[in-house]
Structures are given as structure tokens and as C-alpha cells.
Amino acid sequence: MSCNTSVTRVQLPPAVDQVPRVPVHLMPCEIEHDGPAQVSQYLTATTKDCKQEKTVSFRGRGLKGQELSCPQGYTGLVLKEINKPGSDQEDRTVKLTSTFDKLTYWNLETPTNSDDTVVMAMDWPELAEAIHGPVED
Amino acid sequence: MDLSSFESNNSVSCRLASQIPDVCRTEDCCLGIDEAGRGPVLGPMVYGICFCPVSKKEELKNSKVADSKTLTEDERENLFEKLDEAKSYVGWALQILSPNTISTSMLQRTKYNLNALSHDTAIGLVQYALDSGVQLTEVFVDTVGPAEKYEEKLSKLFPGIQVTVRPKADSLFPIVSAASICAKVARDRVVKGWSFAEDLGEVDTDYGSGYPNDPKTKAWLLKYLDPVFGYPQFVRFSWSTAQTLMDSKGVTVHWDDDDEDREKAAQRLNKKSMLSYFGASSGSKAQNPTHETHRFFTERRLKNLNTL
């Protein structure tokens, strides 16, 4: 088995907090598209906010969503590949293009709930800290 | 007809109604039901009811409310004015089903088809009239589906009311054509004054009749196709015309409840389908067992990240 020697480099700008914060949506479907989309014109403009719950339609299907914060002490990063390696021997470089500290996740028709996968996933950093962190006294 | 409550949020279903004439609460009444805009790929479908005392049937007939489809838009507007002048004994109510309601119902996980949606809407409007104190004795309904079954269903739901379901009832019973006029006028006005919730700038309103075979409608659908989002909510996504265009010119979107072949879905997601384990060569996972990930992580879809 050959050893993968390629390295992935993350290019960070001098000041991470100068990078634009962007709204991020986690969709309950797979969209075969990687590139710009008119999110604010279609999705944001038609989102209805009712109490804690957001509703919107995507491709004619009803979605229910909620805003979710990144775990405390964490920042979400949006990375973009700036040169794709031709082989797995070459290094990859990804660039930090924007950051987020909260995201909106959407369920297909189902009301959002504390049992939703992405909500529960946010438990991990705290648990990881508890089991892997330094032991004090 | 004040459409402002629908126009303030045209993504949901909305009920509009006239005042209930006093005489309708004391005298035996007949009620007609018809719909407008069932076929178009654009805009709402509107259900209308119109009711008046049985004793006023002749008067209504003399006001020449004919089948709204044989009338021009202007003639329908005029007849609606006439109905409004007769408000001392004629009442009406409408249910506007927004195109977004139609799309999300028909494309729901548990499909809610247009016929079921239509029946439930009609039933809701009759119930509204009853709840408002209208003394209903006769109900006349226009239908596109099988009339007998529908008639039986309505008769069972509303015992004591004589229910008549007929194809083309709008040309047979004046009270049905009155309902048809109300529904059609509302649909025309809504389509004409549609305000796009999407931020699309100036939208070309030359969309024709909204029927899929209208060349103007077709041209509009081609012009306003967004590769990712498809269409504004003005379009019924559940119509095959819209779906075919999105399939051919938009990007593909997969949902977990798609009717996709399981094997194909697994391939796409680069996962093993159950079936592959029954094949001659077993997968690498079987030969090279790695430790199993704890449920805590699989439940949260958390994975170890070695490479980006």
C-alpha cells in the first residue's frame, strides 16, 4: 500500500476576524451543484419566521428550519480549494473564504427538534473536552 | 373583493368571504361550488361557493350569470359587480390555494393529490357556510372527476342536504356559475397582481394564460428558470411541465424519499448497498475489519477527518 504523502495546506489571512461572516444553510437534500447560487434572492427572501420556527420551500417542498450556533469557542470555516492537485502526490491548498458562528439547518417537513442529528452533533466538543482535556487535581 | 389578506402572504392558502346576507340565515338556501385555475402551471387555484335563498333562484337566473368560461374577463368583472349589488340575498366565499400550497401538498412525503386537496377545500367551504348559519338545503357542485362517488361522499358528510354533483354544473345551475364567476375573478386578479416574494427585480408579467401549452407561458418558464432554485413560488413545482424543465436545464437535487433505485442511490453516495454483500467478492470491509464506530458518532453523523 502506498503512503499518501500529499499535504493539505490551509491558507489563513493575517486576521481571521477580518474575513466576512456569511449566512450558512444546511439543506435536507443533495444538490448536485458546487458554485454560486442566488440564496438571498430565493431562499432568504421567502423564508417566514414564526416564533422559533422558520419555514420555506425549496423546489416545491416544504422545509422547517432553525438557527443553530456553533459550539462555544468554535468558529465555522468555509474553505475553498484554490488549486486542485493532479495526483494524490501533489499538495492541496485550500483558502479560508468566509466564517460563520451560526447556521440555519432545514428539515424536510418535520419540525425541528433537539434530537436532530446536527443539533446533537454540537454536543461533541464539550464531551471531547471532558474526556480528552487535561485532568486538573 | 378585498384580496389584501392573501396578497400580504401569497405563499399560503387563504379564505375570503362576503358578508352573510341576513335572509340566508332564516330561509332555505341553495349553494353552488366551482373552481378556477385547476390546469395552469402558474398561479393559485381558487375554490368558490355562492349561496342564496332557494326562493331567489329565478332572480339569480335573470341576472344572466352564465358559465364563466364562456365569458371574457371584462364580462366576468361586470357580473361580479352584479352579484355584489345583490348582496342583500347573495353571499360568497373563496378559498385561494396558493401555488406554493399546491406544490408542497402534492410533493409531500405522504402525497396529497390535487383531487383530495380539491375535495377537502370544497368540504371546508360548505362547512364554513353552515358554521356561519346559512340554512343550506341544496348544494350543487361542478366536478372534473367521477361525479357519483363525490356526490355520495358529500351526501354522507352533510346529511339532510340535497347534494348534486355534475360535470359542467356551471352551465346547468346559475348558483354554480355565480360561484364560478367569483372564483375566476379572484384568480384573474391574483395572477395579474402577483407580487413575487423572491428578490427578482422587475419581473416580466407577460406569462400568458398560465396553461402549460400556451407558448407565452412556455417562454416565461424558460426565461425564469434558476438552475438551483428552479422557480419562484408563483410556479407549481408539482406540474410535469415545470419538473421536466428543471430536470433538463436545472441542477439535479436528491431527497431521501426519492423513488430512486436503492442500488443506484448507494452508488451515488459511494456506499455499499445491502445487495453487494451477497455478491461473490465480499467488500474490503469484511476482509479488513476496522473497529466499529460508536453509536454516539454514527447517530450524529460525525466522522473522523483525515483529509479535507
mmCIF file of all heavy atoms in Angstrom, chain A residues 29-30 32-33 38 41-42 45-46 48 57-62 92 108-109 117 120 123-124 127, chain B residues 9 100 103-104 107-109 197-199 227-229 237 251-254 257 268 299-300 308:
data_model
loop_
_atom_site.group_PDB
_atom_site.id
_atom_site.type_symbol
_atom_site.label_atom_id
_atom_site.label_comp_id
_atom_site.label_asym_id
_atom_site.label_seq_id
_atom_site.Cartn_x
_atom_site.Cartn_y
_atom_site.Cartn_z
ATOM 1 N N CYS A 29 -31.238 17.893 1.554
ATOM 2 C CA CYS A 29 -31.214 17.215 0.265
ATOM 3 C C CYS A 29 -29.819 17.388 -0.308
ATOM 4 O O CYS A 29 -29.036 18.191 0.181
ATOM 5 C CB CYS A 29 -32.242 17.824 -0.687
ATOM 6 S SG CYS A 29 -32.068 19.600 -0.886
ATOM 7 N N GLU A 30 -29.546 16.607 -1.372
ATOM 8 C CA GLU A 30 -28.245 16.727 -2.010
ATOM 9 C C GLU A 30 -28.427 17.499 -3.300
ATOM 10 O O GLU A 30 -29.232 17.106 -4.158
ATOM 11 C CB GLU A 30 -27.682 15.334 -2.285
ATOM 12 C CG GLU A 30 -26.241 15.378 -2.722
ATOM 13 C CD GLU A 30 -25.805 14.096 -3.401
ATOM 14 O OE1 GLU A 30 -26.445 13.044 -3.199
ATOM 15 O OE2 GLU A 30 -24.831 14.165 -4.168
ATOM 16 N N GLU A 32 -26.739 18.738 -6.642
ATOM 17 C CA GLU A 32 -25.556 18.449 -7.468
ATOM 18 C C GLU A 32 -25.021 19.743 -8.079
ATOM 19 O O GLU A 32 -25.089 19.956 -9.285
ATOM 20 C CB GLU A 32 -25.899 17.439 -8.571
ATOM 21 C CG GLU A 32 -26.110 16.029 -8.041
ATOM 22 C CD GLU A 32 -26.203 14.996 -9.148
ATOM 23 O OE1 GLU A 32 -25.882 15.324 -10.315
ATOM 24 O OE2 GLU A 32 -26.626 13.866 -8.859
ATOM 25 N N HIS A 33 -24.527 20.583 -7.208
ATOM 26 C CA HIS A 33 -24.046 21.885 -7.670
ATOM 27 C C HIS A 33 -22.983 22.362 -6.704
ATOM 28 O O HIS A 33 -23.146 22.248 -5.498
ATOM 29 C CB HIS A 33 -25.218 22.866 -7.706
ATOM 30 C CG HIS A 33 -24.830 24.261 -8.100
ATOM 31 N ND1 HIS A 33 -24.400 24.575 -9.355
ATOM 32 C CD2 HIS A 33 -24.826 25.416 -7.396
ATOM 33 C CE1 HIS A 33 -24.136 25.879 -9.415
ATOM 34 N NE2 HIS A 33 -24.387 26.411 -8.232
ATOM 35 N N GLN A 38 -28.271 31.805 -5.999
ATOM 36 C CA GLN A 38 -28.996 33.017 -5.588
ATOM 37 C C GLN A 38 -29.746 32.796 -4.274
ATOM 38 O O GLN A 38 -30.979 32.866 -4.246
ATOM 39 C CB GLN A 38 -29.984 33.417 -6.685
ATOM 40 C CG GLN A 38 -29.347 33.480 -8.051
ATOM 41 C CD GLN A 38 -29.727 34.755 -8.764
ATOM 42 O OE1 GLN A 38 -29.490 35.855 -8.262
ATOM 43 N NE2 GLN A 38 -30.328 34.624 -9.934
ATOM 44 N N GLN A 41 -31.800 35.863 -2.853
ATOM 45 C CA GLN A 41 -32.937 36.218 -3.699
ATOM 46 C C GLN A 41 -34.087 35.223 -3.599
ATOM 47 O O GLN A 41 -35.249 35.600 -3.682
ATOM 48 C CB GLN A 41 -32.523 36.322 -5.177
ATOM 49 C CG GLN A 41 -31.625 37.501 -5.490
ATOM 50 C CD GLN A 41 -30.150 37.157 -5.346
ATOM 51 O OE1 GLN A 41 -29.774 36.317 -4.545
ATOM 52 N NE2 GLN A 41 -29.313 37.814 -6.117
ATOM 53 N N TYR A 42 -33.762 33.934 -3.474
ATOM 54 C CA TYR A 42 -34.811 32.920 -3.441
ATOM 55 C C TYR A 42 -35.120 32.441 -2.032
ATOM 56 O O TYR A 42 -36.260 32.496 -1.586
ATOM 57 C CB TYR A 42 -34.429 31.714 -4.322
ATOM 58 C CG TYR A 42 -34.627 31.978 -5.799
ATOM 59 C CD1 TYR A 42 -33.633 32.574 -6.559
ATOM 60 C CD2 TYR A 42 -35.828 31.633 -6.429
ATOM 61 C CE1 TYR A 42 -33.814 32.824 -7.913
ATOM 62 C CE2 TYR A 42 -36.014 31.868 -7.783
ATOM 63 C CZ TYR A 42 -35.001 32.465 -8.524
ATOM 64 O OH TYR A 42 -35.196 32.706 -9.863
ATOM 65 N N ALA A 45 -35.301 35.499 0.916
ATOM 66 C CA ALA A 45 -36.411 36.413 0.642
ATOM 67 C C ALA A 45 -37.773 35.773 0.911
ATOM 68 O O ALA A 45 -38.740 36.472 1.196
ATOM 69 C CB ALA A 45 -36.342 36.906 -0.801
ATOM 70 N N THR A 46 -37.863 34.462 0.853
ATOM 71 C CA THR A 46 -39.171 33.817 1.018
ATOM 72 C C THR A 46 -39.304 33.095 2.358
ATOM 73 O O THR A 46 -40.329 32.466 2.614
ATOM 74 C CB THR A 46 -39.439 32.804 -0.115
ATOM 75 O OG1 THR A 46 -38.369 31.854 -0.150
ATOM 76 C CG2 THR A 46 -39.519 33.486 -1.469
ATOM 77 N N LYS A 48 -40.190 32.441 6.051
ATOM 78 C CA LYS A 48 -41.125 33.018 7.011
ATOM 79 C C LYS A 48 -40.673 32.631 8.423
ATOM 80 O O LYS A 48 -40.357 31.478 8.686
ATOM 81 C CB LYS A 48 -42.535 32.467 6.770
ATOM 82 C CG LYS A 48 -43.092 32.800 5.390
ATOM 83 C CD LYS A 48 -43.875 34.091 5.426
ATOM 84 C CE LYS A 48 -44.587 34.373 4.110
ATOM 85 N NZ LYS A 48 -43.688 34.676 2.983
ATOM 86 N N SER A 57 -39.847 27.037 1.217
ATOM 87 C CA SER A 57 -39.965 25.927 0.280
ATOM 88 C C SER A 57 -38.721 25.908 -0.584
ATOM 89 O O SER A 57 -38.171 26.951 -0.902
ATOM 90 C CB SER A 57 -41.177 26.107 -0.633
ATOM 91 O OG SER A 57 -42.335 26.167 0.134
ATOM 92 N N PHE A 58 -38.284 24.702 -0.914
ATOM 93 C CA PHE A 58 -37.186 24.562 -1.862
ATOM 94 C C PHE A 58 -37.613 23.542 -2.899
ATOM 95 O O PHE A 58 -38.006 22.433 -2.543
ATOM 96 C CB PHE A 58 -35.904 24.119 -1.143
ATOM 97 C CG PHE A 58 -34.741 23.894 -2.079
ATOM 98 C CD1 PHE A 58 -34.166 24.966 -2.746
ATOM 99 C CD2 PHE A 58 -34.264 22.621 -2.331
ATOM 100 C CE1 PHE A 58 -33.112 24.764 -3.635
ATOM 101 C CE2 PHE A 58 -33.210 22.412 -3.210
ATOM 102 C CZ PHE A 58 -32.633 23.487 -3.872
ATOM 103 N N ARG A 59 -37.598 23.939 -4.153
ATOM 104 C CA ARG A 59 -38.039 23.077 -5.259
ATOM 105 C C ARG A 59 -39.438 22.508 -5.009
ATOM 106 O O ARG A 59 -39.724 21.348 -5.284
ATOM 107 C CB ARG A 59 -37.041 21.933 -5.468
ATOM 108 C CG ARG A 59 -35.674 22.397 -5.988
ATOM 109 C CD ARG A 59 -35.678 22.496 -7.493
ATOM 110 N NE ARG A 59 -34.405 22.859 -8.055
ATOM 111 C CZ ARG A 59 -33.718 22.086 -8.915
ATOM 112 N NH1 ARG A 59 -34.174 20.914 -9.277
ATOM 113 N NH2 ARG A 59 -32.593 22.519 -9.422
ATOM 114 N N GLY A 60 -40.293 23.325 -4.420
ATOM 115 C CA GLY A 60 -41.676 22.902 -4.208
ATOM 116 C C GLY A 60 -41.892 22.005 -3.009
ATOM 117 O O GLY A 60 -42.980 21.472 -2.828
ATOM 118 N N ARG A 61 -40.865 21.838 -2.173
ATOM 119 C CA ARG A 61 -41.031 21.007 -0.990
ATOM 120 C C ARG A 61 -40.931 21.875 0.262
ATOM 121 O O ARG A 61 -40.129 22.802 0.331
ATOM 122 C CB ARG A 61 -39.961 19.902 -0.956
ATOM 123 C CG ARG A 61 -39.925 19.117 -2.277
ATOM 124 C CD ARG A 61 -39.526 17.697 -2.091
ATOM 125 N NE ARG A 61 -40.453 16.993 -1.210
ATOM 126 C CZ ARG A 61 -40.326 15.704 -0.885
ATOM 127 N NH1 ARG A 61 -39.329 15.006 -1.341
ATOM 128 N NH2 ARG A 61 -41.205 15.130 -0.083
ATOM 129 N N GLY A 62 -41.768 21.566 1.237
ATOM 130 C CA GLY A 62 -41.834 22.379 2.446
ATOM 131 C C GLY A 62 -40.709 22.044 3.417
ATOM 132 O O GLY A 62 -40.502 20.881 3.743
ATOM 133 N N ARG A 92 -2.265 19.993 -1.732
ATOM 134 C CA ARG A 92 -3.502 20.733 -1.978
ATOM 135 C C ARG A 92 -3.419 22.030 -1.194
ATOM 136 O O ARG A 92 -2.855 22.064 -0.103
ATOM 137 C CB ARG A 92 -4.706 19.985 -1.415
ATOM 138 C CG ARG A 92 -5.189 18.849 -2.242
ATOM 139 C CD ARG A 92 -6.288 18.166 -1.456
ATOM 140 N NE ARG A 92 -7.599 18.712 -1.773
ATOM 141 C CZ ARG A 92 -8.683 18.510 -1.019
ATOM 142 N NH1 ARG A 92 -8.600 17.842 0.090
ATOM 143 N NH2 ARG A 92 -9.846 19.004 -1.397
ATOM 144 N N LEU A 108 -36.858 18.369 6.068
ATOM 145 C CA LEU A 108 -37.944 18.222 5.103
ATOM 146 C C LEU A 108 -39.237 17.943 5.865
ATOM 147 O O LEU A 108 -39.393 16.875 6.459
ATOM 148 C CB LEU A 108 -37.636 17.069 4.128
ATOM 149 C CG LEU A 108 -38.742 16.686 3.145
ATOM 150 C CD1 LEU A 108 -39.135 17.847 2.245
ATOM 151 C CD2 LEU A 108 -38.311 15.502 2.289
ATOM 152 N N GLU A 109 -40.107 18.918 5.911
ATOM 153 C CA GLU A 109 -41.449 18.850 6.515
ATOM 154 C C GLU A 109 -41.488 18.644 8.034
ATOM 155 O O GLU A 109 -42.421 19.069 8.689
ATOM 156 C CB GLU A 109 -42.302 17.759 5.842
ATOM 157 C CG GLU A 109 -42.625 18.105 4.402
ATOM 158 C CD GLU A 109 -43.107 16.906 3.587
ATOM 159 O OE1 GLU A 109 -43.460 15.868 4.164
ATOM 160 O OE2 GLU A 109 -43.107 17.024 2.351
ATOM 161 N N THR A 117 -30.023 15.387 14.167
ATOM 162 C CA THR A 117 -28.608 14.984 14.097
ATOM 163 C C THR A 117 -27.632 16.138 14.305
ATOM 164 O O THR A 117 -26.725 16.052 15.127
ATOM 165 C CB THR A 117 -28.338 14.358 12.711
ATOM 166 O OG1 THR A 117 -29.372 13.425 12.455
ATOM 167 C CG2 THR A 117 -27.005 13.661 12.687
ATOM 168 N N MET A 120 -27.506 17.466 17.872
ATOM 169 C CA MET A 120 -26.792 16.550 18.771
ATOM 170 C C MET A 120 -25.286 16.553 18.491
ATOM 171 O O MET A 120 -24.481 16.380 19.415
ATOM 172 C CB MET A 120 -27.333 15.130 18.606
ATOM 173 C CG MET A 120 -28.765 14.973 19.103
ATOM 174 S SD MET A 120 -29.141 13.257 19.484
ATOM 175 C CE MET A 120 -28.835 12.461 17.930
ATOM 176 N N ASP A 123 -22.892 18.495 20.557
ATOM 177 C CA ASP A 123 -22.552 18.053 21.911
ATOM 178 C C ASP A 123 -21.089 17.617 22.000
ATOM 179 O O ASP A 123 -20.498 17.613 23.075
ATOM 180 C CB ASP A 123 -23.373 16.805 22.323
ATOM 181 C CG ASP A 123 -24.851 17.085 22.389
ATOM 182 O OD1 ASP A 123 -25.227 18.262 22.462
ATOM 183 O OD2 ASP A 123 -25.626 16.099 22.355
ATOM 184 N N TRP A 124 -20.556 17.177 20.874
ATOM 185 C CA TRP A 124 -19.247 16.527 20.885
ATOM 186 C C TRP A 124 -18.112 17.386 21.458
ATOM 187 O O TRP A 124 -17.379 16.907 22.330
ATOM 188 C CB TRP A 124 -18.933 15.980 19.494
ATOM 189 C CG TRP A 124 -17.538 15.435 19.355
ATOM 190 C CD1 TRP A 124 -16.604 15.827 18.450
ATOM 191 C CD2 TRP A 124 -16.910 14.410 20.138
ATOM 192 N NE1 TRP A 124 -15.457 15.131 18.602
ATOM 193 C CE2 TRP A 124 -15.608 14.249 19.649
ATOM 194 C CE3 TRP A 124 -17.312 13.638 21.232
ATOM 195 C CZ2 TRP A 124 -14.704 13.342 20.179
ATOM 196 C CZ3 TRP A 124 -16.416 12.722 21.773
ATOM 197 C CH2 TRP A 124 -15.129 12.583 21.247
ATOM 198 N N LEU A 127 -18.093 17.214 25.176
ATOM 199 C CA LEU A 127 -17.783 15.874 25.649
ATOM 200 C C LEU A 127 -16.308 15.548 25.397
ATOM 201 O O LEU A 127 -15.629 14.989 26.258
ATOM 202 C CB LEU A 127 -18.679 14.857 24.930
ATOM 203 C CG LEU A 127 -18.546 13.403 25.369
ATOM 204 C CD1 LEU A 127 -18.988 13.236 26.827
ATOM 205 C CD2 LEU A 127 -19.362 12.492 24.468
ATOM 206 N N ASN B 9 -49.486 37.608 2.182
ATOM 207 C CA ASN B 9 -48.671 36.386 2.235
ATOM 208 C C ASN B 9 -49.216 35.413 1.199
ATOM 209 O O ASN B 9 -50.113 34.613 1.490
ATOM 210 C CB ASN B 9 -48.716 35.771 3.637
ATOM 211 C CG ASN B 9 -47.890 34.495 3.721
ATOM 212 O OD1 ASN B 9 -47.230 34.093 2.750
ATOM 213 N ND2 ASN B 9 -47.926 33.843 4.863
ATOM 214 N N ASN B 100 -47.789 27.655 -3.982
ATOM 215 C CA ASN B 100 -46.872 27.007 -3.038
ATOM 216 C C ASN B 100 -47.584 25.931 -2.223
ATOM 217 O O ASN B 100 -47.030 24.872 -1.947
ATOM 218 C CB ASN B 100 -46.241 28.067 -2.118
ATOM 219 C CG ASN B 100 -45.199 27.484 -1.178
ATOM 220 O OD1 ASN B 100 -44.279 26.812 -1.607
ATOM 221 N ND2 ASN B 100 -45.382 27.715 0.118
ATOM 222 N N SER B 103 -47.913 22.978 -4.610
ATOM 223 C CA SER B 103 -46.634 22.275 -4.782
ATOM 224 C C SER B 103 -46.293 21.438 -3.556
ATOM 225 O O SER B 103 -46.034 20.237 -3.663
ATOM 226 C CB SER B 103 -45.480 23.269 -4.987
ATOM 227 O OG SER B 103 -45.732 24.152 -6.034
ATOM 228 N N THR B 104 -46.308 22.077 -2.382
ATOM 229 C CA THR B 104 -45.844 21.372 -1.182
ATOM 230 C C THR B 104 -46.817 20.249 -0.776
ATOM 231 O O THR B 104 -46.372 19.253 -0.204
ATOM 232 C CB THR B 104 -45.620 22.331 0.007
ATOM 233 O OG1 THR B 104 -46.788 23.115 0.196
ATOM 234 C CG2 THR B 104 -44.441 23.249 -0.245
ATOM 235 N N LEU B 107 -46.224 17.362 -3.417
ATOM 236 C CA LEU B 107 -44.882 16.786 -3.320
ATOM 237 C C LEU B 107 -44.543 16.340 -1.897
ATOM 238 O O LEU B 107 -43.415 16.002 -1.589
ATOM 239 C CB LEU B 107 -43.832 17.795 -3.806
ATOM 240 C CG LEU B 107 -43.956 18.255 -5.259
ATOM 241 C CD1 LEU B 107 -42.940 19.354 -5.572
ATOM 242 C CD2 LEU B 107 -43.766 17.095 -6.226
ATOM 243 N N GLN B 108 -45.546 16.350 -1.012
ATOM 244 C CA GLN B 108 -45.343 15.951 0.376
ATOM 245 C C GLN B 108 -44.829 14.513 0.460
ATOM 246 O O GLN B 108 -45.075 13.717 -0.438
ATOM 247 C CB GLN B 108 -46.712 16.016 1.060
ATOM 248 C CG GLN B 108 -46.712 16.490 2.471
ATOM 249 C CD GLN B 108 -48.136 16.771 2.895
ATOM 250 O OE1 GLN B 108 -48.684 17.835 2.645
ATOM 251 N NE2 GLN B 108 -48.766 15.785 3.513
ATOM 252 N N ARG B 109 -44.152 14.177 1.575
ATOM 253 C CA ARG B 109 -43.695 12.790 1.796
ATOM 254 C C ARG B 109 -44.854 11.826 1.613
ATOM 255 O O ARG B 109 -44.742 10.828 0.913
ATOM 256 C CB ARG B 109 -43.173 12.633 3.227
ATOM 257 C CG ARG B 109 -41.718 12.928 3.383
ATOM 258 C CD ARG B 109 -41.309 12.618 4.813
ATOM 259 N NE ARG B 109 -40.097 13.306 5.178
ATOM 260 C CZ ARG B 109 -38.859 12.855 4.917
ATOM 261 N NH1 ARG B 109 -38.704 11.712 4.289
ATOM 262 N NH2 ARG B 109 -37.811 13.549 5.266
ATOM 263 N N ALA B 197 -42.406 37.173 -4.019
ATOM 264 C CA ALA B 197 -41.704 37.262 -2.736
ATOM 265 C C ALA B 197 -40.195 37.190 -2.960
ATOM 266 O O ALA B 197 -39.418 37.711 -2.175
ATOM 267 C CB ALA B 197 -42.158 36.127 -1.820
ATOM 268 N N GLU B 198 -39.809 36.538 -4.045
ATOM 269 C CA GLU B 198 -38.391 36.431 -4.362
ATOM 270 C C GLU B 198 -37.879 37.797 -4.785
ATOM 271 O O GLU B 198 -38.628 38.626 -5.295
ATOM 272 C CB GLU B 198 -38.170 35.436 -5.518
ATOM 273 C CG GLU B 198 -38.552 33.999 -5.196
ATOM 274 C CD GLU B 198 -40.054 33.764 -5.228
ATOM 275 O OE1 GLU B 198 -40.781 34.655 -5.729
ATOM 276 O OE2 GLU B 198 -40.500 32.702 -4.764
ATOM 277 N N ASP B 199 -36.606 37.993 -4.601
ATOM 278 C CA ASP B 199 -35.987 39.265 -4.936
ATOM 279 C C ASP B 199 -35.472 39.174 -6.377
ATOM 280 O O ASP B 199 -34.303 38.917 -6.622
ATOM 281 C CB ASP B 199 -34.835 39.498 -3.938
ATOM 282 C CG ASP B 199 -34.238 40.870 -4.074
ATOM 283 O OD1 ASP B 199 -34.780 41.686 -4.849
ATOM 284 O OD2 ASP B 199 -33.216 41.120 -3.413
ATOM 285 N N PRO B 227 -31.118 27.651 -12.151
ATOM 286 C CA PRO B 227 -30.592 26.281 -12.138
ATOM 287 C C PRO B 227 -30.655 25.607 -10.771
ATOM 288 O O PRO B 227 -30.820 24.402 -10.689
ATOM 289 C CB PRO B 227 -29.141 26.450 -12.609
ATOM 290 C CG PRO B 227 -28.852 27.907 -12.590
ATOM 291 C CD PRO B 227 -30.158 28.622 -12.695
ATOM 292 N N VAL B 228 -30.522 26.384 -9.685
ATOM 293 C CA VAL B 228 -30.530 25.774 -8.356
ATOM 294 C C VAL B 228 -31.928 25.785 -7.730
ATOM 295 O O VAL B 228 -32.440 24.758 -7.300
ATOM 296 C CB VAL B 228 -29.526 26.475 -7.409
ATOM 297 C CG1 VAL B 228 -29.620 25.901 -6.000
ATOM 298 C CG2 VAL B 228 -28.105 26.342 -7.953
ATOM 299 N N PHE B 229 -32.574 26.936 -7.705
ATOM 300 C CA PHE B 229 -33.856 27.059 -7.008
ATOM 301 C C PHE B 229 -35.053 26.684 -7.872
ATOM 302 O O PHE B 229 -36.146 26.471 -7.351
ATOM 303 C CB PHE B 229 -34.004 28.467 -6.425
ATOM 304 C CG PHE B 229 -33.003 28.719 -5.340
ATOM 305 C CD1 PHE B 229 -31.773 29.298 -5.610
ATOM 306 C CD2 PHE B 229 -33.266 28.296 -4.047
ATOM 307 C CE1 PHE B 229 -30.829 29.478 -4.611
ATOM 308 C CE2 PHE B 229 -32.337 28.473 -3.044
ATOM 309 C CZ PHE B 229 -31.116 29.064 -3.317
ATOM 310 N N PHE B 237 -44.552 23.624 -8.744
ATOM 311 C CA PHE B 237 -43.421 22.719 -8.962
ATOM 312 C C PHE B 237 -43.877 21.293 -9.239
ATOM 313 O O PHE B 237 -43.143 20.502 -9.803
ATOM 314 C CB PHE B 237 -42.503 22.712 -7.730
ATOM 315 C CG PHE B 237 -41.635 23.937 -7.607
ATOM 316 C CD1 PHE B 237 -42.166 25.144 -7.187
ATOM 317 C CD2 PHE B 237 -40.286 23.882 -7.917
ATOM 318 C CE1 PHE B 237 -41.366 26.267 -7.058
ATOM 319 C CE2 PHE B 237 -39.472 25.001 -7.800
ATOM 320 C CZ PHE B 237 -40.018 26.201 -7.366
ATOM 321 N N VAL B 251 -30.010 22.000 -12.019
ATOM 322 C CA VAL B 251 -29.130 21.000 -11.427
ATOM 323 C C VAL B 251 -30.002 19.951 -10.734
ATOM 324 O O VAL B 251 -31.126 20.234 -10.325
ATOM 325 C CB VAL B 251 -28.121 21.628 -10.426
ATOM 326 C CG1 VAL B 251 -27.304 22.706 -11.102
ATOM 327 C CG2 VAL B 251 -28.819 22.171 -9.189
ATOM 328 N N THR B 252 -29.458 18.746 -10.614
ATOM 329 C CA THR B 252 -30.223 17.662 -10.016
ATOM 330 C C THR B 252 -30.212 17.793 -8.492
ATOM 331 O O THR B 252 -29.190 18.126 -7.898
ATOM 332 C CB THR B 252 -29.627 16.306 -10.430
ATOM 333 O OG1 THR B 252 -29.494 16.317 -11.848
ATOM 334 C CG2 THR B 252 -30.512 15.151 -10.014
ATOM 335 N N VAL B 253 -31.371 17.544 -7.900
ATOM 336 C CA VAL B 253 -31.499 17.568 -6.444
ATOM 337 C C VAL B 253 -32.026 16.209 -5.992
ATOM 338 O O VAL B 253 -32.975 15.695 -6.576
ATOM 339 C CB VAL B 253 -32.459 18.695 -5.993
ATOM 340 C CG1 VAL B 253 -32.736 18.617 -4.491
ATOM 341 C CG2 VAL B 253 -31.891 20.069 -6.338
ATOM 342 N N HIS B 254 -31.375 15.618 -5.015
ATOM 343 C CA HIS B 254 -31.829 14.328 -4.483
ATOM 344 C C HIS B 254 -32.387 14.505 -3.084
ATOM 345 O O HIS B 254 -31.777 15.173 -2.258
ATOM 346 C CB HIS B 254 -30.666 13.326 -4.396
ATOM 347 C CG HIS B 254 -29.982 13.081 -5.705
ATOM 348 N ND1 HIS B 254 -30.449 12.169 -6.617
ATOM 349 C CD2 HIS B 254 -28.887 13.646 -6.254
ATOM 350 C CE1 HIS B 254 -29.652 12.174 -7.675
ATOM 351 N NE2 HIS B 254 -28.701 13.067 -7.488
ATOM 352 N N ASP B 257 -36.400 10.715 0.191
ATOM 353 C CA ASP B 257 -37.584 9.912 -0.134
ATOM 354 C C ASP B 257 -37.820 9.805 -1.645
ATOM 355 O O ASP B 257 -38.908 9.476 -2.086
ATOM 356 C CB ASP B 257 -38.831 10.482 0.560
ATOM 357 C CG ASP B 257 -39.157 11.904 0.118
ATOM 358 O OD1 ASP B 257 -38.297 12.542 -0.528
ATOM 359 O OD2 ASP B 257 -40.266 12.375 0.413
ATOM 360 N N ARG B 268 -24.331 6.292 -5.830
ATOM 361 C CA ARG B 268 -24.139 7.729 -5.888
ATOM 362 C C ARG B 268 -23.479 8.238 -4.612
ATOM 363 O O ARG B 268 -22.597 9.085 -4.643
ATOM 364 C CB ARG B 268 -25.484 8.405 -6.098
ATOM 365 C CG ARG B 268 -25.414 9.913 -6.168
ATOM 366 C CD ARG B 268 -26.712 10.480 -6.647
ATOM 367 N NE ARG B 268 -27.833 10.077 -5.816
ATOM 368 C CZ ARG B 268 -28.076 10.554 -4.620
ATOM 369 N NH1 ARG B 268 -27.272 11.445 -4.084
ATOM 370 N NH2 ARG B 268 -29.117 10.149 -3.929
ATOM 371 N N GLU B 299 -24.840 8.271 15.166
ATOM 372 C CA GLU B 299 -26.108 8.968 15.361
ATOM 373 C C GLU B 299 -26.006 10.456 15.032
ATOM 374 O O GLU B 299 -26.988 11.091 14.701
ATOM 375 C CB GLU B 299 -26.579 8.823 16.806
ATOM 376 C CG GLU B 299 -27.316 7.543 17.084
ATOM 377 C CD GLU B 299 -27.681 7.397 18.562
ATOM 378 O OE1 GLU B 299 -27.334 8.290 19.376
ATOM 379 O OE2 GLU B 299 -28.303 6.391 18.878
ATOM 380 N N ARG B 300 -24.819 10.976 15.196
ATOM 381 C CA ARG B 300 -24.615 12.407 14.936
ATOM 382 C C ARG B 300 -23.962 12.651 13.589
ATOM 383 O O ARG B 300 -23.595 13.761 13.258
ATOM 384 C CB ARG B 300 -23.757 13.004 16.054
ATOM 385 C CG ARG B 300 -24.514 13.143 17.352
ATOM 386 C CD ARG B 300 -23.600 13.322 18.536
ATOM 387 N NE ARG B 300 -24.389 13.475 19.762
ATOM 388 C CZ ARG B 300 -24.990 12.472 20.406
ATOM 389 N NH1 ARG B 300 -24.896 11.240 19.947
ATOM 390 N NH2 ARG B 300 -25.701 12.711 21.490
ATOM 391 N N LEU B 308 -9.073 16.798 4.053
ATOM 392 C CA LEU B 308 -10.202 17.693 3.769
ATOM 393 C C LEU B 308 -10.924 17.248 2.514
ATOM 394 O O LEU B 308 -10.322 16.789 1.586
ATOM 395 C CB LEU B 308 -9.707 19.121 3.583
ATOM 396 C CG LEU B 308 -9.401 19.883 4.861
ATOM 397 C CD1 LEU B 308 -8.753 21.209 4.523
ATOM 398 C CD2 LEU B 308 -10.659 20.126 5.672
#
